[in-house]
């Protein structure tokens, strides 16, 4: 009965749940019948009540799913913390102390407290791990001793991007935890760099994107298996199922492919879009999509352009935030934070207008010799979109300032991504014909709480 109810709750098929109601005590059956019919906002509390009812019946599989279904419906970290603590108490009561400890750690991160458990640093003949969580001073000393290839990577910059991510205080997020590590040889020389972190209870990744394992010397490839074992430990330590890895088609790694094949995993095709700023502006414009190219030419004649380099950053920041809000989106940066980044020279804002009003604003960030497209917003009622013209102006300015590359970012084109992400990908792909192809691979190497029965 417990196993059957576990599977039916997990499937959330109303017909299946209805069929099992006669087998349950009247109170529990009534609760399950109610949860099918009420709105999403009321369901989390009811799922928790159902979990406690199922526990009182002596069941040990189905309460797990009921708690999980409550968590899946709660966007705010503080609310999730309450459910994690309740589930931890239940797990400890039925003798699953290791998973109870995991849930207590998750609850602490949801309310922005550091978990108490220590991160292990693994070692073998290929090298030894130095993790920022366990050896912060040694890690900082080592990472200052070499120029990381990731300084040019807008998504994974271990300085600027990391600091912004770790400083974020968003109610939905809880505490972001940095779990980055290096693998060093017997003399303490870095062989591999792995920037990784965890946000809420989703996956082990890197600034909400995927992890890349970066070789720092020819000897580094021999240490890839050690890096993967360390990632497994970090996923289990942080209480998440999945490790999200970036794999590039032009960089095959047999050890990585073999490890991925040993776990359930889901792969999604990705492309990273870039513009080579060594090319002339005529060639760069020729690589725009035809519609974007025509709009860029029109805008150069008809619009006025400015940037935060020229002053007026306060107005540009306000216009950007207003346009984002008017579009129904939420800006990742508050206005004050945005201005602080601009003041430190980490971000810049570009805007364009006609004689009457602002039409569009683009935000970029700077990572070594790469300029990264960070976001854009436009007035909603434009007859002609001003964004292609503004993007052309931004790219031209980056080229004039001596940057090597303009990075448009990863394109979320796989059908499994939301229509919004696919639409953004189509917009970005309209400005270049230069793509690096690869995939994001979510590997279920952590705690088995989504698809495996508790204790099974």
């Amino acid at each position: 009965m417990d196993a059957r109810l576990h599977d039916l709750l997990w499937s959330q098929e109303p017909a299946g749940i209805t069929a099992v109601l006669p087998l349950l005590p009247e109170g529990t059956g009534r609760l399950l019948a109610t949860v099918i019919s009420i709105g999403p906002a009321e369901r989390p509390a009811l799922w928790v009540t159902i979990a406690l009812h199922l526990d009182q019946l002596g069941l040990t599989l189905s309460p797990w799913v009921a708690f999980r279904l409550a968590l899946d419906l709660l966007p705010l970290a503080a609310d999730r913390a309450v459910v994690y603590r309740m589930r931890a108490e239940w797990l400890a009561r039925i003798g699953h102390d290791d998973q109870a400890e995991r849930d207590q750690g998750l609850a602490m991160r949801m309310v922005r407290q550091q978990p108490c458990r220590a991160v292990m640093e693994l070692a073998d003949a290929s090298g030894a791990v130095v993790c920022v969580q366990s050896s912060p001073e040694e890690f900082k000393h080592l990472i200052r001793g070499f120029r990381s290839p990731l300084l040019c990577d807008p998504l994974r910059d271990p300085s600027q991007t990391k600091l912004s991510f770790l400083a974020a205080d968003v109610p939905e997020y809880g505490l972001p935890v940095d779990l980055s590590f290096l693998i060093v040889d017997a003399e303490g020389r870095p062989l591999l760099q792995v920037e990784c972190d965890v946000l809420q209870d989703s996956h082990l990744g890197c600034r909400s994107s995927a992890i890349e394992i970066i070789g720092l010397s020819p000897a580094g490839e021999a240490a890839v298996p050690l890096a993967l074992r360390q990632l497994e430990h970090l996923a289990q330590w942080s209480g998440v199922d999945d490790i999200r890895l970036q794999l590039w088609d032009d960089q095959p790694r047999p050890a990585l492919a073999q490890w991925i094949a040993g776990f359930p995993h889901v792969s999604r095709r990705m492309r990273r879009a870039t513009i080579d700023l060594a090319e002339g502006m005529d060639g760069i414009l020729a690589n725009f999509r035809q519609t974007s190219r025509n709009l860029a030419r029109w805008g150069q004649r008809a619009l006025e352009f400015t940037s935060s380099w020229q002053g007026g950053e306060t107005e540009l920041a306000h216009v950007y935030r207003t346009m984002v809000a008017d579009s129904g989106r939420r800006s990742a940066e508050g206005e004050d934070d945005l201005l602080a980044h601009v003041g430190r020279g980490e971000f810049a804002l570009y805007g364009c207008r006609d004689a009457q009003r602002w039409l569009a604003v683009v935000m970029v960030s700077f990572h070594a010799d790469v300029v990264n497209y960070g976001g854009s917003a436009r007035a909603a009622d434009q007859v002609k979109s001003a964004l292609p013209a503004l993007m052309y102006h931004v790219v031209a300015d980056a080229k004039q300032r001596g940057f090597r590359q303009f990075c448009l970012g990863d394109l979320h084109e796989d059908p499994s991504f939301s229509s919004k992400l696919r639409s953004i990908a189509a917009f970005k792909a309209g400005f270049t014909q230069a793509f690096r192809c690869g995939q994001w691979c979510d590997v279920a190497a952590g705690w088995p709480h989504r698809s495996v029965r508790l204790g099974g």
Side-chain angles (χ1 to χ4, degrees), residues 388-407:
L390 183 54
M391 286 292 290
Y392 177 84
H393 176 80
V394 173
V395 172
D397 191 65
K399 177 179 173 63
Q400 184 179 358
R401 292 179 183 278
F403 287 93
R404 174 181 62 86
Q405 185 183 83
F406 189 93
C407 182

Side-chain angles (χ1 to χ4, degrees), residues 77-406:
D79 294 335
R80 296 167 74 80
V82 174
V83 178
Y84 273 121
R85 288 197 185 97
M86 294 178 71
R87 195 171 72 176
E89 292 172 3
W90 166 69
L91 285 166
R93 229 176 19 250
I94 63 172
H96 288 276
D97 293 335
D98 55 343
Q99 298 202 32
E101 183 182 18
R102 162 197 175 277
D103 273 13
Q104 288 287 7
L106 281 164
M108 292 178 71
R109 287 202 289 110
M110 296 300 108
V111 294
R112 303 189 66 81
Q113 294 178 2
Q114 287 281 357
C116 300
R117 293 167 292 153
V119 170
M120 292 191 300
E121 295 175 311
L122 306 181
D124 62 18
S126 68
V129 169
V130 178
C131 182
V132 68
Q133 273 292 305
S134 299
S135 306
E137 294 306 317
E138 184 180 359
F139 180 87
K140 290 174 187 175
H141 172 74
L142 285 167
I143 208 163
R144 282 196 296 263
F146 67 94
R147 178 181 169 83
S148 169
L150 289 172
L151 287 171
C152 294
D153 187 327
L155 291 175
R156 301 169 184 84
D157 181 341
S159 55
Q160 175 190 313
T161 308
K162 175 188 286 188
L163 294 176
S164 299
F165 177 82
L166 295 176
D169 186 4
V170 181
E172 289 87 350
Y173 286 178
L175 178 71
V177 178
D178 187 13
L179 295 168
S180 303
F181 62 92
L182 298 166
I183 294 182
V184 300
D185 64 14
E187 284 73 42
R189 294 172 297 204
L191 302 173
L192 288 178
Q193 180 183 7
V194 182
E195 283 291 310
C196 62
D197 43 60
V198 65
L199 182 65
Q200 227 189 60
D201 52 1
S202 53
H203 61 267
L204 193 67
C206 185
R207 275 38 115 209
S208 301
S209 62
I211 299 165
E212 281 197 61
I213 298 175
I214 301 296
L216 302 173
S217 80
E221 286 304 304
V224 168
L226 174 60
L228 295 171
R229 290 199 302 277
Q230 183 69 25
L231 286 171
E232 286 182 55
H233 165 63
L234 293 174
Q236 293 173 4
W237 179 89
S238 54
V240 298
D241 288 347
D242 299 331
I243 302 170
R244 177 168 294 172
L245 291 163
Q246 176 80 65
L247 289 77
W248 295 112
D249 292 355
D250 59 9
Q251 190 184 25
R253 292 180 122 156
L256 183 53
Q258 183 178 4
W259 178 82
I260 289 171
F263 296 96
H265 61 275
V266 175
S267 297
R268 291 178 283 187
R269 296 298 302 173
M270 300 289 294
R271 294 192 296 171
R272 183 171 296 174
T274 58
I275 297 173
D276 182 0
L277 298 178
E279 193 169 359
M281 287 308 299
D282 287 344
I284 289 172
L285 184 59
N287 286 329
F288 278 32
R289 187 182 293 132
Q290 180 68 52
T291 305
S292 299
R293 189 160 61 243
N294 293 341
L295 288 169
R297 287 172 173 153
W298 158 78
Q300 298 310 303
R301 299 188 303 269
L303 303 178
E304 176 188 343
F305 300 91
T306 189
S307 75
S308 54
W309 299 109
Q310 300 163 273
E313 59 270 19
T314 301
E315 183 178 6
L316 281 169
H318 179 69
V319 171
Y320 177 72
R321 291 270 297 168
T322 301
M323 286 182 176
V324 169
D326 288 347
S327 70
R329 293 180 287 151
R330 177 175 178 171
S331 177
E333 299 282 342
E335 204 164 312
D336 291 342
D337 292 333
L338 188 53
L339 286 170
H341 282 298
V342 171
R344 292 193 295 266
E346 298 166 348
F347 288 13
L349 294 165
Y350 293 80
C352 66
R353 58 182 305 154
D354 59 16
Q356 285 78 40
R357 59 176 181 151
W358 292 102
L359 296 175
V361 180
V362 167
M363 177 181 68
V364 299
S365 60
F366 306 100
H367 307 266
D369 54 359
V370 174
V371 181
N372 177 54
Y373 168 84
S376 62
R378 65 184 181 92
D381 57 347
Q382 294 176 52
V383 176
K384 285 186 176 181
S385 174
L387 268 175
L390 183 54
M391 286 292 290
Y392 177 84
H393 176 80
V394 173
V395 172
D397 191 65
K399 177 179 173 63
Q400 184 179 358
R401 292 179 183 278
F403 287 93
R404 174 181 62 86
Q405 185 183 83
F406 189 93

Side-chain angles (χ1 to χ4, degrees), residues 10-54:
W10 197 251
S11 70
Q12 292 195 68
E13 294 176 1
I17 294 174
T18 302
V20 81
L21 295 182
L23 305 178
L24 296 170
E26 182 181 351
T28 307
R30 189 164 53 247
L31 288 171
L32 275 173
T34 303
V35 82
I36 298 171
S37 60
I38 62 175
E42 302 171 86
R43 287 178 191 165
L46 190 53
W47 276 122
V48 170
T49 303
I50 289 169
L52 297 175
H53 268 253
L54 295 172

